[in-house]
Each structure stands twice: as structure tokens, then as C-alpha cells.
């Protein structure tokens, strides 16, 4: 008699005496231990990965709300629903052994930002092993006040590594914005960056050799560039150092270092919370500058803008860039009055809700709208776009 197989009956490679199926193991890692009765148990390597993932994501309070029980590999390792005996340093060693670099960065980011595991940036043993990243730099800036001198020295390695990477990336982009733009006029100066490919090909088509499929260049052509006639301008960066603005603080420090010393531009960098700290003297050393920044505290935007207004030398040659989430803890009416006064004097006021690679704004739209009504420019920018904006003003 022929029987029809029951579609609800599941067999696994282990049931059939085979080796674990890689595809099923992937699904088991994704779906968690609840799927193990359908996928079969994990092999040794994946079991270690599952344990590392559960050490982090198993603490998510949403699991209990959804009625998800920790079981399988993680439960056997922890001996129940209590906290794991595995320490942060053990976990870091595990993930660096078990996962690729991109996954490690994501796991470290979630550990710090999602679950607040501060040992990763306050334990010297952990700091010696951790991979420097922008996420960890933000965590260092938020927790510097918890660190003793030994930990601070180790944390500085993260600051230096990330700043070095950002400088290498942003400096060419920012400096490029201050070069003269290409014009349609030809140039007699042979510079590789000004090579006119189309005009060169057209002018030398008569020298094309079909048999060898080569074009002989008798004369190369180049673009000319416009010259910027620069008068002295001021750029006053007022940076909110509240916790939510960590990314903008980092990029502001690096951007100010890149802009420092450019012809025709005098750069100021001022950090504020409920107090105002002028960091201009440290602009040439963004690492030292960031080690001085202390994220958190209140927010008195009006006080910072009032200080910035006092730095203005020539209003019509001044850009005041205010980097903040616009959640004012001080006097919003005073802030609006001061911004209106700057605009009426001829200064350019930028209100930026973000200054980083992503430029994802999160801000008080009501107050930002009031400032826009006074004539301020409100938005979010990457450091490169800010440099282009400043360069456009200087070239007028």
C-alpha cells in the first residue's frame, strides 16, 4: 500500500545520519533556537556563533514581551535564563574569531548603542582588543568622564585611528571645493587634473591608426580654471555637544582642521551645552580637541549664538554655522532675536541639524522654522557640502 508523506513531518540531515546542512544552519542562526526542531542542531562552529549572538541579542527585553524563551545552544551554555558568565572581553575575543570584519563592527555598534554595554569602552582589557570605529569613538566621547587616566590613554588610540581615517577621506574632498572651477577656455598649463579628454580626442582623430587600433596624440588639450579672488572671510562653527550630536561634533572637529589655514578663511570652532567653550586654539589637533569635548549636559543655543555674534569682524564676510538639534534649553526668543540681528547685518547664518557622512537630520522643526523665517538657511549637510557652500561664498 502506498502512503502519502505527512507534510507536517520534518526530517533533518541529523535524523538521516548526515552532516548538518549549511542552508538549514543559516536559517537556524537567523530564526533562533525555536527553529531547531525543524532545522536540526547546529554544528560546532555555528553553535559558537549562536552563543556569541545570544550573549548580545538574548538580553533584548522585547523577547520576553513576545514570549520568546531562550533555549537551545544559549540556554545550555548559560544553564538557564540568568545572565551569562561570559564577560565582554570573552565575547569580543569570540566575535573576532568567528565573524568577518563587517559583522564585528555591527555587533560592537549594537553592544554599545543598543544595549549600553559600556565595558567595551571603559575596561582597559577590552579597549586593547577592540577594533576602532566611528561608533566606538562616539561611545568614548560619551563615557570619557568615567575613565581613569590608564583607560583614557587606551581610548585615545580609538580617537586617533578614527580621526586619521576621517582626515584622509575628508581633506581632499574639502580642499577640492576651494580650487577654481573648470572653464570652457583652453589652458596652456599641462596639469593632469585639467586634462580635456574630449577635445584631445577630436583634435587628434586624423592620427588614428586602424591597423594598430591606436590614437597618436600629437597635442594634448587642457581646461583652464577660474581664479578665486578671495577677501578675508570668517567661518564660525558653533557645535552643540549634547549626546545626540556626537557624530556632528566629530565631523566638525575634523572639518575645522581641514579648513584651517586655507587662504582667505579664518575659522573658529566653539562647542556648547549650557556653557560655551572656544576650541579654536586646538583646531589644528582634532584628536586633542575631541579629548577635551564632554558630551551631555544642558543646551543653551542662544548663549552660544550670542558668543558667536561677538566674534564677527565683518558681517558681510562672515558665515555662522550653527550645528544643533534645535532643542533649546535656554531662551528661544533671545536666540531668534540674535539670529535675526546677524542676518540683518549681512552675515550668512546656517542652521545645520547634522554634519556627518549620512547627514540624517533629527531636530526641533518648530524652532528651526522660526529661525528660517529670520533668513537663516536650515538643513543638513555632509562636511564636503559645507565646504562647497563656504567656497561658493568666498568666491563671490
Amino acid at each position: 500500500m502506498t502512503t502519502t508523506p505527512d507534510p507536517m513531518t520534518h526530517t533533518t540531515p541529523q535524523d538521516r545520519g548526515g552532516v548538518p546542512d549549511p542552508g538549514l544552519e543559516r536559517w537556524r542562526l537567523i530564526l533562533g533556537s525555536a527553529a531547531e526542531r525543524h532545522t536540526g542542531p547546529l554544528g560546532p562552529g555555528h553553535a559558537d556563533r549562536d552563543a556569541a549572538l545570544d550573549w548580545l541579542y538574548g538580553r533584548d527585553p522585547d523577547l520576553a514581551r513576545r514570549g520568546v524563551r531562550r533555549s537551545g545552544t544559549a540556554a545550555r551554555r548559560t544553564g538557564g535564563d540568568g545572565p551569562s558568565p561570559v564577560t565582554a572581553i570573552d565575547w569580543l575575543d569570540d566575535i573576532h574569531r568567528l565573524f568577518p570584519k563587517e559583522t564585528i563592527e555591527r555587533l560592537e555598534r549594537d553592544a554599545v548603542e543598543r544595549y549600553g554595554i559600556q565595558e567595551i569602552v571603559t575596561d582597559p582589557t577590552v579597549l586593547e582588543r577592540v577594533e576602532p570605529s566611528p561608533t566606538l569613538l562616539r561611545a568614548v566621547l560619551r563615557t570619557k568622564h568615567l575613565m581613569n587616566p590608564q583607560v583614557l590613554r587606551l581610548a585615545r588610540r580609538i580617537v586617533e585611528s578614527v580621526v586619521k581615517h576621517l582626515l584622509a577621506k575628508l581633506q581632499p574632498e574639502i580642499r577640492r571645493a576651494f580650487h577654481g572651477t573648470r572653464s570652457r577656455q583652453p589652458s596652456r598649463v599641462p596639469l593632469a587634473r585639467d586634462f580635456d579628454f574630449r577635445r584631445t580626442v577630436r583634435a587628434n582623430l586624423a592620427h588614428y591608426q586602424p591597423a594598430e587600433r591606436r590614437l597618436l596624440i600629437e597635442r594634448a588639450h587642457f581646461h583652464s580654471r577660474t581664479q578665486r579672488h578671495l577677501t578675508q572671510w570668517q567661518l564660525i562653527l558653533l557645535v552643540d555637544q549634547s549626546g545626540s550630536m556626537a557624530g556632528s561634533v566629530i565631523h566638525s572637529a575634523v572639518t575645522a582642521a581641514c579648513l584651517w589655514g586655507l587662504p582667505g578663511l579664518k575659522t573658529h570652532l566653539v562647542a556648547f551645552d549650557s556653557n560655551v567653550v572656544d576650541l579654536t586654539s586646538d583646531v589644528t589637533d582634532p584628536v586633542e580637541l575631541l579629548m577635551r569635548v564632554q558630551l551631555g549636559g544642558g543646551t543653551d543655543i542662544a548663549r552660544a549664538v550670542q558668543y558667536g555674534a561677538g566674534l564677527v569682524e565683518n558681517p558681510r564676510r562672515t558665515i555662522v554655522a550653527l550645528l544643533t538639534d534645535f532643542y533649546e534649553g535656554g531662551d528661544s526668543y533671545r536666540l531668534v532675536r540674535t539670529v535675526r540681528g546677524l542676518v540683518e547685518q549681512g552675515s550668512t547664518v546656517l542652521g545645520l541639524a547634522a554634519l556627518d557622512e549620512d547627514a540624517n537630520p533629527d531636530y526641533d522643526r518648530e524652532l528651526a522654522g522660526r529661525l528660517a523665517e529670520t533668513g537663516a538657511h536650515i538643513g543638513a549637510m555632509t562636511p564636503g557640502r559645507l565646504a562647497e557652500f563656504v567656497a561658493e561664498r568666498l568666491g563671490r
Side-chain angles (χ1 to χ4, degrees):
M1 182 176 66
T2 303
T3 58
T4 303
D6 183 354
M8 296 303 292
T9 301
H10 299 271
T11 61
T12 68
Q14 288 82 353
D15 296 331
R16 299 189 297 270
V19 297
D21 180 88
L24 289 175
E25 286 191 307
R26 270 179 173 273
W27 280 111
R28 163 62 181 80
L29 285 172
I30 293 169
L31 297 174
S33 57
E36 191 165 301
R37 66 190 182 91
H38 301 295
T39 63
L42 294 166
H46 283 306
D48 290 343
R49 293 185 181 90
D50 183 60
L53 292 173
D54 188 76
W55 183 88
L56 180 62
Y57 297 110
R59 66 188 68 216
D60 195 327
D62 192 50
L63 293 176
R65 185 184 63 79
R66 292 188 285 120
V68 177
R69 292 185 178 181
R70 297 174 66 182
S71 58
T73 304
R76 289 192 297 271
R77 177 173 53 82
T78 61
D81 290 334
S84 169
V86 176
T87 65
I89 187 60
D90 296 329
W91 178 75
L92 278 172
D93 285 340
D94 286 344
I95 65 171
H96 279 260
R97 174 174 54 87
L98 296 167
F99 295 102
K101 186 173 186 294
E102 296 78 8
T103 306
I104 293 168
E105 291 176 356
R106 174 58 188 270
L107 292 171
E108 290 177 345
R109 181 170 74 244
D110 284 352
V112 173
E113 295 189 344
R114 187 171 173 182
Y115 299 109
I117 305 173
Q118 299 297 353
E119 308 98 275
I120 291 177
V121 289
T122 56
D123 185 325
T125 311
V126 177
L127 278 173
E128 288 176 347
R129 290 169 168 79
V130 78
E131 187 74 26
S133 70
T135 295
L136 292 175
L137 173 52
R138 291 193 294 271
V140 166
L141 297 186
R142 292 188 181 108
T143 56
K144 284 196 286 84
H145 63 289
L146 302 175
M147 299 179 183
N148 61 40
Q150 177 195 1
V151 176
L152 273 175
R153 284 194 296 273
L154 293 170
R156 192 182 182 94
R157 175 183 69 93
I158 293 175
V159 179
E160 290 172 345
S161 176
V162 177
V163 166
K164 181 179 178 181
H165 173 77
L166 287 174
L167 279 170
K169 180 180 183 297
L170 295 179
Q171 198 159 36
E173 181 181 351
I174 290 173
R175 299 263 170 168
R176 194 180 306 122
F178 287 82
H179 292 160
T181 56
R182 287 181 176 180
S183 76
R184 294 179 179 272
Q185 298 298 319
S187 171
R188 295 180 181 275
V189 181
L191 293 176
R193 66 187 175 92
D194 296 331
F195 180 65
D196 188 339
F197 176 80
R198 292 179 181 273
R199 192 160 181 261
T200 298
V201 170
R202 284 198 302 268
N204 292 277
L205 282 175
H207 310 300
Y208 179 65
Q209 298 180 334
E212 299 181 14
R213 302 182 70 178
R214 288 196 310 170
L215 180 66
L216 299 180
I217 305 296
E218 286 198 353
R219 181 186 173 191
H221 293 265
F222 299 87
H223 294 285
S224 64
R225 287 183 178 259
T226 58
Q227 295 295 317
R228 297 191 186 278
H229 300 284
L230 303 180
T231 54
Q232 186 71 32
W233 276 71
Q234 276 181 287
L235 172 63
I236 302 171
L237 290 168
L238 305 174
V239 186
D240 184 343
Q241 60 178 355
S242 61
S244 61
M245 297 297 293
S248 291
V249 170
I250 294 165
H251 282 80
S252 296
V254 176
T255 300
C258 295
L259 293 172
W260 186 262
L262 286 174
L265 184 64
K266 182 178 181 180
T267 304
H268 305 261
L269 182 62
V270 178
F272 68 91
D273 41 34
S274 54
N275 296 305
V276 177
V277 182
D278 196 326
L279 299 172
T280 304
S281 60
D282 290 321
V283 161
T284 55
D285 186 354
V287 173
E288 187 61 37
L289 190 154
L290 288 171
M291 294 303 289
R292 287 186 57 191
V293 165
Q294 187 63 64
L295 296 180
T299 308
D300 193 338
I301 308 173
R303 184 174 184 179
V305 174
Q306 187 70 52
Y307 180 86
L311 298 175
V312 175
E313 297 169 1
N314 182 349
R316 296 188 179 277
R317 291 288 183 270
T318 300
I319 300 169
V320 179
L322 173 63
L323 283 85
T324 180
D325 55 14
F326 299 101
Y327 289 102
E328 174 63 292
D331 187 342
S332 61
Y333 295 99
R334 177 187 173 197
L335 171 62
V336 172
R337 284 197 308 271
T338 307
V339 170
R340 181 182 291 112
L342 285 167
V343 172
E344 289 175 351
Q345 291 173 7
S347 298
T348 300
V349 180
L350 288 176
L352 303 181
L355 184 74
D356 57 24
E357 294 170 344
D358 300 321
N360 295 322
D362 180 16
Y363 60 101
D364 184 339
R365 297 177 185 274
E366 190 275 331
L367 181 55
R370 288 166 60 191
L371 296 180
E373 290 173 359
T374 70
H377 304 265
I378 305 295
M381 291 184 180
T382 63
R385 182 66 192 96
L386 174 62
E388 290 172 8
F389 183 94
V390 174
E392 289 168 3
R393 293 299 186 277
L394 268 64
R396 287 182 174 179

